[in-house]
Amino acid sequence: MSSREVVVLSVGGVRFVTRAFTLQQFPESRLARMLNDDDRDFKLVNGEFFVDRDGVLFSYIMDFLRTLQVSLPTDFSDYQRLQREAEFYGLYPLANLLSQEHLLKPRLEILEVRFSLQEMQAFFRIFGSCSTTIEALAEQITVFTGQQSGQGWNSPFPSQKPLVPLPLERPSHHDMVFLCGTEYSASDQFVARYVSIKPDNRKLINGTNVLGLLLDTLLKDGFRLISTRTVVSEEKVECYTFERMKRAAGLTVTVNPTPGSSAVAQARRSQVQKGK
């Protein structure tokens, strides 16, 4: 059969349409041999290959054949059943990846926002269990500074003078610090700091408004607020704790043809998308 030909499979009553080339990614598998009529368990009925197996799980197998990557939903739990299906189809590289269940399972991610008001300034510190999430969030947040004359921190409009972006303070890979508001300098001048959080283009100076936008941004990014508390010390610090299930990095198979063998499959970790 030509690698360009369209193949139709009916797996457990679920219909799949693909190219022969996709099924031949691993020539020693039963799916590849099926195309050459070398496997009697796969019956050709009315132009479709009938397979009496789980059609839902086969959708993940097809995704693997098309991408050479194992990337499962965060709520997926049938690792052993899918591994058994991979072994049935002779896709042992996939079965080997599925045996590394600890690498494929999503992980619980914790993030905490600490917020305090001191006179005309608001202080923020964000801690996260995942450094890539903190890095992605730091790319969304920009602090701008400028001078104002005789205006308080509740001024709704930025100074007409050009605002200068400031780098966020990063005590470690797992946290960041920034502030907004105004502080008195000299000659009736206020140094103002505005905060912008992408994709929102506003420059906010009021700490309560910045906090609201920050919490809304985290909720839209898949986090769930699980607790709020106030730390009582010399100054009151409000703490907001979030959690979400972070999708695991995909496991990818690299197929390299070698003499004397149809293919050699090697697994490697794919890069994690930032903030996901």
Side-chain angles (χ1 to χ4, degrees):
M1 177 177 288
S2 170
S3 63
R4 295 184 179 182
E5 288 188 37
V6 173
V7 180
V8 180
L9 301 95
S10 178
V11 184
V14 183
R15 193 168 183 266
F16 297 88
V17 180
T18 186
R19 292 190 307 160
F21 172 79
T22 302
L23 299 177
Q24 293 168 339
Q25 289 278 25
F26 299 90
E28 295 177 355
S29 71
R30 297 185 71 182
L31 290 172
R33 299 200 310 268
M34 170 190 73
L35 301 180
N36 297 322
D37 297 326
D38 290 341
D39 198 312
R40 296 181 179 180
D41 286 342
F42 298 90
K43 304 297 183 181
L44 187 60
V45 180
N46 297 326
E48 299 182 8
F49 286 99
F50 175 76
V51 188
D52 190 16
R53 303 293 294 191
D54 191 306
V56 175
L57 293 179
F58 189 74
S59 65
Y60 299 116
I61 290 176
M62 283 302 308
D63 182 66
F64 169 75
L65 290 174
R66 288 166 175 154
T67 66
L68 297 181
Q69 185 179 73
V70 182
S71 182
L72 301 171
T74 55
D75 59 349
F76 186 82
S77 59
D78 289 335
Y79 292 92
Q80 291 185 349
R81 289 184 61 216
L82 184 55
Q83 181 179 353
R84 186 167 63 244
E85 292 299 294
E87 291 172 348
F88 170 80
Y89 291 108
L91 294 170
Y92 297 107
L94 174 58
N96 291 336
L97 294 185
L98 290 168
S99 69
Q100 304 177 63
E101 184 177 335
H102 64 287
L103 297 179
L104 292 170
K105 281 187 174 181
R107 298 180 181 180
L108 181 65
E109 181 180 0
I110 301 296
L111 188 141
E112 183 179 84
V113 176
R114 296 187 180 183
F115 168 74
S116 66
L117 287 172
Q118 297 179 18
E119 297 180 351
M120 295 186 298
Q121 292 183 312
F123 294 81
F124 294 83
R125 188 161 192 171
I126 303 175
F127 300 85
S129 60
C130 179
S131 61
T132 56
T133 296
I134 294 297
E135 186 67 31
L137 191 58
E139 293 179 358
Q140 291 180 257
I141 299 175
T142 306
V143 178
F144 299 90
T145 184
Q147 287 190 339
Q148 294 180 325
S149 299
Q151 299 181 31
W153 81 318
N154 285 314
S155 172
F157 302 106
S159 168
Q160 295 300 317
K161 296 181 180 179
L163 297 178
V164 179
L166 294 175
L168 297 179
E169 185 179 340
R170 297 291 305 277
S172 74
H173 292 296
H174 289 272
D175 62 343
M176 72 176 79
V177 177
F178 63 92
L179 59 89
C180 66
T182 60
E183 60 180 343
Y184 183 73
S185 57
S187 303
D188 199 28
Q189 294 287 317
F190 285 90
V191 176
R193 288 183 175 87
Y194 301 85
V195 174
S196 179
I197 305 177
K198 297 177 182 178
D200 195 300
N201 293 321
R202 292 175 295 170
K203 295 180 175 63
L204 304 176
I205 195 171
N206 183 289
T208 303
N209 293 339
V210 174
L211 176 64
L213 178 58
L214 176 60
L215 300 186
D216 185 59
T217 299
L218 295 175
L219 291 172
K220 289 180 178 178
D221 202 27
F223 281 98
R224 181 173 67 93
L225 181 64
I226 58 174
S227 71
T228 61
R229 69 184 191 278
T230 300
V231 178
V232 180
S233 58
E234 296 180 358
E235 57 190 33
K236 290 186 177 180
V237 179
E238 297 177 10
C239 296
Y240 301 82
T241 304
F242 295 82
E243 70 174 17
R244 74 174 176 183
M245 294 303 294
K246 181 177 177 61
R247 183 187 295 273
L251 287 177
T252 301
V253 164
T254 303
V255 180
N256 298 316
T258 57
S261 176
S262 57
V264 174
Q266 297 178 337
R268 61 178 174 82
R269 294 297 294 271
S270 67
Q271 293 182 348
V272 184
Q273 293 184 353
K274 291 185 177 181
K276 301 292 181 185

